[in-house]
Amino acid sequence: MRLGLALGYWGRGPDPRDLELARQAEELGYHSVWTAESWGSDAFTALTWIAAHTSRIRLGTAVAQMAARTPTATAMHALTLDHLSGGRMLLGLGLSGPQVVEGWYGRPFPASPLTLTREYVDVVRQVLRRAAPVRLEGRYHTHPYAGPDGTGTGKPLKPITHPLRPDLPVLLGAEGPKNVAQTARIADGWLPLYWSPTRAAAWDSALAEAPPGFLVAPMAQARICDDVAEGLLPVKAMLGFYVGGMGHARRNFHADLMARMGYGEAAERIGALFAAGRREEAVRAVPDAFADEISLVGPRERVAERLALWRSGPVTDLLVTAADPRTLRVLAELNE
């Protein structure tokens, strides 16, 4: 199991620690570093900055949001950064949810998310292969465009720039069983949101069609500390925000996933508290047991035991969120 560093997206501004953490991760032998986007900083610009200051570590988006760009634009970003970095790019894509797609990007959330994802990946693959001009007659993506408001003069095109790697890895962030099963069929890897090493068998059927070499790369917050309860507070804060604030009462993929993992009542309470503006209470309502099983928190010996659980399943790459160099170093030592 390889280690990656997940930096996430910026908050109010860029985190001055990110570049140094990426450099330290490279020195420690981490395989990859990953950036994200929500409705602020974008994933590709920050990753390009890191690429310019490193030489070996792989560069991933976890995730770049599909609603943010057309699939051809996303493929352009990926092939450009792959060239500039000497073939280090890993393209992680995610659909996001209705709140972000409609509220931030100003476009309708698809009635068939699986169809949109399949078409999106198809176009990205066509661009990267550059075997022929891009063509697709899809429900959500059509190349050339053939809608009633078009000019009818669109021309099938392939990229002017020859991609460095036609098989540049494409990974998908997916939560529901059907979405994960499709990911195993059409992508090179899966980026799980909440991964519990004690529940890995629950995904066996969804991953049944995954090809050899398929990547399973979950994220986990990590912290080497003496007080487990204190160390879990950032994990609970993240869960409180995602489950309570990153969806709608009628449709919340994060809450649905938490419910499938056996914490349905807690998910409902978190959502209700967050909606009522009682955010601190929403964070406290996150069960310690849930936060603990999806993270690596505690003294070195405890983390070592739990890390062995992560290695025992299908995980190929553990993407660690850790703000301190000590935790990165200890994890590298334990994973040798």
Side-chain angles (χ1 to χ4, degrees):
M1 183 180 73
R2 301 174 300 198
L3 294 178
L5 171 64
L7 295 173
Y9 45 77
W10 297 350
R12 181 171 296 182
D15 191 326
R17 300 171 297 177
D18 282 357
L19 182 56
E20 187 57 32
L21 284 173
R23 287 169 162 169
Q24 291 172 349
E26 183 173 66
E27 291 175 2
L28 290 167
Y30 278 60
H31 176 261
S32 55
V33 58
W34 302 73
T35 57
E37 59 190 14
S38 53
W39 52 91
S41 61
D42 78 279
F44 290 101
T45 306
L47 201 61
T48 303
W49 182 251
I50 293 169
H53 292 84
T54 56
S55 60
R56 302 180 307 277
I57 197 165
R58 304 298 194 278
L59 308 155
T61 54
V63 294
Q65 295 180 331
M66 287 184 265
R69 306 162 191 87
T70 64
T72 48
T74 294
M76 289 167 64
H77 276 294
L79 73 85
T80 301
L81 184 48
D82 203 42
H83 269 290
L84 293 175
S85 66
R88 292 189 279 153
M89 181 69 197
L90 300 162
L91 179 59
L93 301 171
L95 190 60
S96 192
Q99 185 185 49
V100 175
V101 173
E102 297 184 359
W104 180 246
Y105 294 113
R107 54 197 311 172
F109 189 78
S112 179
L114 270 69
T115 300
L116 185 143
T117 299
R118 189 166 58 250
E119 293 178 6
Y120 202 102
V121 172
D122 185 355
V123 173
V124 169
R125 298 277 204 202
Q126 288 190 54
V127 173
L128 295 175
R129 286 194 299 263
R130 201 180 177 272
V134 176
R135 292 183 181 272
L136 180 68
E137 295 182 10
R139 176 176 177 180
Y140 297 101
H141 295 285
T142 303
H143 295 264
Y145 182 72
D149 55 344
T151 65
T153 61
K155 178 182 178 181
L157 298 169
K158 59 182 178 180
I160 297 171
T161 304
H162 292 228
L164 182 65
R165 293 182 297 161
D167 57 350
L168 187 155
V170 177
L171 298 86
L172 294 175
E175 296 181 28
K178 291 182 179 179
N179 201 349
V180 175
Q182 174 174 269
T183 296
R185 293 192 299 269
I186 69 172
D188 301 299
W190 173 36
L191 296 160
L193 183 59
Y194 309 140
W195 178 269
S196 171
T198 61
R199 303 171 188 263
W203 298 105
D204 285 351
S205 60
L207 295 174
E209 296 183 54
F214 186 79
L215 304 178
V216 178
M219 295 185 192
Q221 290 199 41
R223 184 179 177 188
I224 303 297
C225 59
D226 294 328
D227 190 329
V228 174
E230 180 184 352
L232 287 175
L233 288 177
V235 186
K236 295 178 66 170
M238 175 274 293
L239 288 168
F241 176 67
Y242 270 69
V243 175
M246 290 282 278
H248 191 274
R250 295 197 308 270
R251 195 167 192 181
N252 187 321
F253 299 134
H254 305 303
D256 292 345
L257 177 57
M258 186 174 173
R260 286 197 298 273
M261 296 177 73
Y263 297 96
E265 291 184 9
E268 290 183 9
R269 177 163 174 74
I270 293 166
L273 289 169
F274 204 95
R278 298 156 63 182
R279 298 191 177 189
E280 292 184 6
E281 291 181 65
V283 171
R284 290 198 296 271
V286 176
D288 283 2
F290 180 49
D292 191 33
E293 69 176 282
I294 66 169
S295 63
L296 288 160
V297 172
R300 180 186 178 110
E301 297 75 16
R302 184 178 194 267
V303 170
E305 293 176 359
R306 296 181 59 78
L307 193 62
L309 286 176
W310 289 76
R311 283 198 298 263
S312 66
V315 173
T316 61
D317 297 79
L318 174 58
L319 312 186
V320 176
T321 299
D324 65 292
R326 176 178 174 240
T327 294
L328 294 180
R329 185 183 69 255
V330 170
L331 287 174
E333 293 169 354
L334 293 176
N335 197 52
E336 289 180 348

